[in-house]
Each structure stands twice: as C-alpha cells, then as structure tokens.
Amino acid sequence: MVVKTALIFGALLLLISGTSGDHLSSRDFADAFDAALVRVQRSKYQDIVVANAPFRSVASFTCSPSPEFFPFPSESSATGILARVLRDRVIRVAAIGPSDFGIDGDYTVDPPVGFWPDYLEAILDEFQVAYGNDITLSRTFWPVDQTDDLLAAVADGDLDMTEPYFVVGGFFEGRSPTL
C-alpha cells in the first residue's frame, strides 16, 4: 500500500529575491502571499484536503494562522513584483507540465483540478479579496527536463513564482533553492 503525504509549507514555492526597491524585489509579493496563505491555512486548507480525497497531507504550519499578524501590503505603496502584479492584474506562475499528477493535480484540463490547483486557487481568492476580483493566474509550463529554464525564468523576473508544489532538491546555478 502506498500512502501519499505532503508537507505543506508556503516557503516551498520559489520567488526571486531581488533587493528592496528593485523592480524584481519579491519582498512585498512574499508578504502578500504570506497574508493570503495564512488566511487559507486558517479557514480553507482542511476543506481543500477533504475535497481532494484520498489526498493525504501532514500540515506543519510554521507560523500562526492569525491574519492580524500578516496584513496585505498596501496597494498604493507596493513595490517590485507585487507592484507589477497589481498593475498588470496577473500573477505569472511557472509550472511543470502540463501533466496529470492524479489527485495532486491534473494540469492537462482547463481549469486544472486537484489539491495543488485548488490550493493555489484559494490563495488567489485571498489576493482577490485584498486587491480586486480582476487579478488572475497565468501558468507557463515547462517539461520536467527543462526545469533549469523554468527556474531561470523566475530568477530573471519573467515569471513571478513557481507553483506551490515546486520543491528544489539541489542547486540552481551553484546556489541553494532560494533564488
């Protein structure tokens, strides 16, 4: 018998680091993502797991799921990637596929279905509550053998983030997974 488990940490997705004030800075975007993630963890996470049964997860939340500790950055003072997201109204996501990963996620259908697509959609819902219903997700897919290109696109700022399921088990251009 095989039992799938997933340890869910928002930090597994990858964002470019950039410097404060830089157009590639992910600081405000990461803060907004954290704010959305905390709200999902607090009120929607278990429902997403149940809706995607028999998906199994062990959730180890490393921060308090208290929204008051994680405010969304102000739209008027947003910088870097968040400023671009709010201007263009789209979050650009790097993904592997399109592939069918079963209950984890089927990215061969539109819209994608499964745990990870539902999880990211719930995070998007929280972005929309904070910044407007017209913010959308746009996925760009790479074959699994081109993940260096996928990571380069995030590192170069061509895309804003990876899918939350994305875990790097090694190095990219001689560096650890934190771009």
Side-chain angles (χ1 to χ4, degrees), residues 108-136:
T108 65
V109 297
D110 187 21
V113 296
F115 176 80
W116 290 111
D118 289 355
Y119 192 58
L120 189 53
E121 191 66 31
I123 292 167
L124 173 65
D125 290 347
E126 296 299 331
F127 261 84
Q128 291 173 333
V129 168
Y131 298 117
N133 288 336
D134 58 336
I135 294 186
T136 62

Side-chain angles (χ1 to χ4, degrees), residues 7-31:
L7 297 177
I8 309 303
F9 297 99
L12 291 180
L13 65 91
L14 301 176
L15 304 168
I16 188 168
S17 57
T19 57
S20 183
D22 182 348
H23 76 284
L24 293 178
S25 171
S26 63
R27 182 68 182 158
D28 284 350
F29 184 71
D31 287 349

Side-chain angles (χ1 to χ4, degrees), residues 25-47:
S25 171
S26 63
R27 182 68 182 158
D28 284 350
F29 184 71
D31 287 349
F33 188 90
D34 287 347
L37 184 64
V38 163
R39 285 156 178 80
V40 169
Q41 289 173 347
R42 182 180 185 130
S43 64
K44 299 177 184 176
Y45 178 79
Q46 190 60 40
D47 292 339

Side-chain angles (χ1 to χ4, degrees), residues 85 88-92 124 128 132-138:
V85 165
D88 296 348
R89 314 309 285 173
V90 63
I91 300 171
R92 304 169 306 174
L124 173 65
Q128 291 173 333
N133 288 336
D134 58 336
I135 294 186
T136 62
L137 290 176
S138 174

Side-chain angles (χ1 to χ4, degrees), residues 137-160:
L137 290 176
S138 174
R139 287 182 175 90
T140 301
F141 291 99
W142 274 268
V144 70
D145 64 345
Q146 293 179 14
T147 54
D148 281 353
D149 294 336
L150 178 153
L151 293 173
V154 176
D156 293 342
D158 296 330
L159 297 169
D160 303 319

